[in-house]
Amino acid sequence: MAEVQLLGVRGSPFVQRVQYALRLKGIEYSFIEDNLRNKSELLLKYNPIHKKVPVFVHNGKPLSESLVIIEYIDETWGNYHIFPQHGYEKALARFWSKFIDDKILPPIFKAAWTVNKEEREKNTEEALQGLQFLENELKNKFFGGENIGIVDIAASYLAFWLPAVEEAVGLKLLSDDKFPKLLKWSQEFINQPIVKEILPSREGLLGFFKSRYAAISASAK
Amino acid sequence: MAEVQLLGVRGSPFVQRVQYALRLKGIEYSFIEDNLRNKSELLLKYNPIHKKVPVFVHNGKPLSESLVIIEYIDETWGNYHIFPQHGYEKALARFWSKFIDDKILPPIFKAAWTVNKEEREKNTEEALQGLQFLENELKNKFFGGENIGIVDIAASYLAFWLPAVEEAVGLKLLSDDKFPKLLKWSQEFINQPIVKEILPSREGLLGFFKSRYAAISASAK
């Protein structure tokens, strides 16, 4: 059995967060594909609480929650720093990663995956507020400076998944006029080899999102 | 100006989390009381994003989010370890603290502060599931072992605030038969000097919660 295993599904932005971290560190791992419609015994055993991927397994010890996993990886393996090394900068990186997970992604998901106009408007407004704080925070090529760091990884959904979701559900959050820095960052991010080489097919993702939205629209009628 | 400042309101369980950490470390600090009905310029300046307490200020640099603040404190000052020192244990402590904030406290707040029966039932069930995972996780005197650690601090709402809320709103979550370990832990926790000495008056808290619930009941009619 390999020392490092990742239970995941292909194309999940949260699973890919962990894959970026593993690639940045140059860690060999085996990817165990799960099926979320018929969850494996292994997934239920390793993550009985959330029953979700990613699950990271190191020497038989499982961890879940992508940000928790990545901080563990950063502390366990050397040769690239995903988190800043200094106290205050490190704390701010934790703050912004948490902000993305608590205040940006949830309203985006709610705005996207509904056919209720009011719910979409309310959550769009909330998402735009959060995105504006993030736009203001971007002062270099990456949130982490000249190289990818934890905040870039936390925000990675915005770079690749969100544009496909926007197209599939007819929503526009990341407009040129409001978020020029985030859009430039998106291009930089998805063009990094460690990212680009494992991104799912945009066409496949778009098809998946379109049928998901069609199903929501149909069930709301 | 003191080197360490804490912006807070008396009696807030989230502000007190930071106070426990400061007391465990023996750090001198000045407490700057805020008024949440009329937020200070200082609060808006230091926490423009969430506009919430606690805000921790070290040498003029502000941080918010209680768990982020405490990890910064733990990394910056020595002489007591709030987080475990070893990789996997440390990651698990982060996992459980996040679990409490994401999966236990939100359904408790929703179950408590509503007069809608269905909403209370749904959230009570969710809270009980989360509490059961936590009950199973408690293997020593404290979550941190023989001494208070980050998970105890994260769970501190359950030890002192929740019983008062239960009484004020007529809800029972922490019953003897279901959660004997959590109830024993609650007593241990609130009897620790660093905790006991700064707990708010139970009577005052109960009065506050009762009038809050009466206001919710009245506005729902």
Side-chain angles (χ1 to χ4, degrees), chain A residues 18-177:
Chain A
V18 178
Q19 291 178 286
Y20 304 142
L22 291 166
R23 289 168 66 89
L24 285 169
K25 294 276 189 181
I27 301 166
E28 296 283 327
Y29 65 99
S30 56
F31 189 91
I32 303 174
E33 177 117 35
D34 219 281
N35 177 354
L36 296 186
R37 288 186 200 163
N38 182 16
K39 294 178 181 179
S40 69
E41 287 296 315
L42 200 62
L43 175 59
L44 301 178
K45 173 186 154 195
Y46 278 146
N47 190 3
I49 296 182
H50 297 301
K51 303 180 182 71
K52 287 197 297 196
V53 292
V55 174
F56 180 74
V57 189
H58 184 208
N59 290 329
K61 292 181 181 170
L63 270 182
S64 53
E65 293 285 357
S66 60
L67 297 179
V68 171
I69 294 169
I70 295 171
E71 195 152 5
Y72 172 79
I73 290 172
D74 200 34
E75 288 171 349
T76 306
W77 284 270
N79 72 37
Y80 186 100
H81 296 307
I82 297 173
F83 281 75
Q85 291 303 289
H86 300 292
Y88 187 67
E89 295 304 313
K90 193 172 186 177
L92 286 184
R94 287 193 188 113
F95 173 86
W96 284 106
S97 310
K98 183 173 163 52
F99 180 75
I100 289 165
D101 273 6
D102 291 353
K103 302 291 177 186
I104 295 187
L105 299 185
I108 289 180
F109 297 156
K110 285 182 200 157
W113 303 113
T114 181
V115 290
N116 179 311
K117 207 181 148 207
E118 258 178 53
E119 204 181 329
R120 173 165 286 187
E121 277 173 11
K122 179 179 156 286
N123 284 291
T124 295
E125 197 178 320
E126 206 180 307
L128 291 175
Q129 278 176 14
L131 289 167
Q132 189 63 58
F133 282 118
L134 202 62
E135 170 84 7
N136 299 345
E137 188 57 21
L138 193 48
K139 284 153 194 153
N140 297 294
K141 185 172 167 188
F142 294 112
F143 289 98
E146 285 308 300
N147 298 301
I148 288 179
I150 185 62
V151 183
D152 300 286
I153 292 176
S156 55
Y157 175 88
L158 307 176
F160 188 75
W161 282 261
L162 180 56
V165 168
E166 288 180 330
E167 187 177 335
V169 309
L171 177 72
K172 192 68 193 168
L173 294 171
L174 283 184
S175 58
D176 285 331
D177 53 333

Side-chain angles (χ1 to χ4, degrees), chain B residues 7 20 39 41 51 68-69 83 98 106 112 145 178 184 207 220:
Chain B
L7 274 69
Y20 305 142
K39 294 177 181 179
E41 288 295 316
K51 303 181 181 71
V68 172
I69 294 169
F83 281 75
K98 183 174 164 52
K178 281 190 188 144
K184 186 158 181 282

Side-chain angles (χ1 to χ4, degrees), chain B residues 152-220:
Chain B
D152 301 284
I153 292 176
S156 54
Y157 175 89
L158 305 176
F160 188 74
W161 282 262
L162 179 56
V165 167
E166 287 180 331
E167 186 177 335
V169 309
L171 178 71
K172 192 68 193 167
L173 294 170
L174 283 184
S175 59
D176 284 332
D177 54 333
K178 281 190 188 144
F179 303 107
K181 292 196 288 177
L182 274 175
L183 284 166
K184 186 158 181 282
W185 165 85
S186 293
Q187 292 309 307
E188 296 280 8
F189 185 80
I190 62 176
N191 281 317
Q192 291 287 300
I194 67 117
V195 172
K196 197 173 188 171
E197 287 161 21
I198 58 166
L199 286 177
S201 131
R202 192 181 191 282
E203 208 175 315
L205 210 58
L206 189 61
F208 172 74
F209 289 148
K210 279 185 176 169
S211 45
R212 187 175 167 192
Y213 194 65
I216 291 174
S217 305
S219 72

Side-chain angles (χ1 to χ4, degrees), chain B:
Chain B
M1 191 166 68
E3 193 194 19
V4 177
Q5 298 164 301
L6 180 62
L7 274 69
V9 293
R10 304 268 171 202
S12 152
F14 296 98
V15 173
Q16 291 219 342
R17 281 178 171 183
V18 178
Q19 290 178 286
Y20 305 142
L22 291 166
R23 290 167 65 90
L24 285 169
K25 294 276 188 181
I27 300 167
E28 297 282 329
Y29 65 99
S30 56
F31 188 92
I32 303 174
E33 178 117 32
D34 220 282
N35 178 355
L36 295 187
R37 288 186 202 164
N38 182 15
K39 294 177 181 179
S40 69
E41 288 295 316
L42 200 63
L43 175 59
L44 301 179
K45 174 186 152 195
Y46 278 146
N47 190 3
I49 296 182
H50 298 302
K51 303 181 181 71
K52 288 198 294 196
V53 292
V55 174
F56 180 74
V57 188
H58 184 210
N59 291 329
K61 290 180 183 171
L63 271 182
S64 54
E65 293 284 357
S66 62
L67 297 178
V68 172
I69 294 169
I70 295 170
E71 194 153 4
Y72 173 79
I73 290 172
D74 200 34
E75 289 171 347
T76 307
W77 284 271
N79 72 38
Y80 186 99
H81 296 307
I82 298 173
F83 281 75
Q85 292 301 289
H86 299 292
Y88 188 67
E89 294 305 314
K90 193 171 186 181
L92 285 184
R94 288 193 189 114
F95 173 86
W96 284 106
S97 310
K98 183 174 164 52
F99 181 74
I100 290 165
D101 273 7
D102 291 353
K103 302 290 177 188
I104 296 187
L105 300 185
I108 289 181
F109 297 156
K110 285 182 201 158
W113 304 112
T114 182
V115 289
N116 179 310
K117 207 180 149 210
E118 258 178 53
E119 203 181 330
R120 175 166 284 187
E121 277 174 11
K122 179 181 158 285
N123 284 292
T124 294
E125 197 179 318
E126 205 180 308
L128 291 173
Q129 279 177 14
L131 288 166
Q132 190 61 57
F133 282 118
L134 202 63
E135 170 84 6
N136 299 346
E137 188 56 23
L138 193 48
K139 284 153 195 156
N140 297 293
K141 184 171 168 190
F142 294 111
F143 289 98
E146 284 309 300
N147 298 300
I148 288 180
I150 185 62
V151 182
D152 301 284
I153 292 176
S156 54
Y157 175 89
L158 305 176
F160 188 74
W161 282 262
L162 179 56
V165 167
E166 287 180 331
E167 186 177 335
V169 309
L171 178 71
K172 192 68 193 167
L173 294 170
L174 283 184
S175 59
D176 284 332
D177 54 333
K178 281 190 188 144
F179 303 107
K181 292 196 288 177
L182 274 175
L183 284 166
K184 186 158 181 282
W185 165 85
S186 293
Q187 292 309 307
E188 296 280 8
F189 185 80
I190 62 176
N191 281 317
Q192 291 287 300
I194 67 117
V195 172
K196 197 173 188 171
E197 287 161 21
I198 58 166
L199 286 177
S201 131
R202 192 181 191 282
E203 208 175 315
L205 210 58
L206 189 61
F208 172 74
F209 289 148
K210 279 185 176 169
S211 45
R212 187 175 167 192
Y213 194 65
I216 291 174
S217 305
S219 72
K221 272 168 194 163

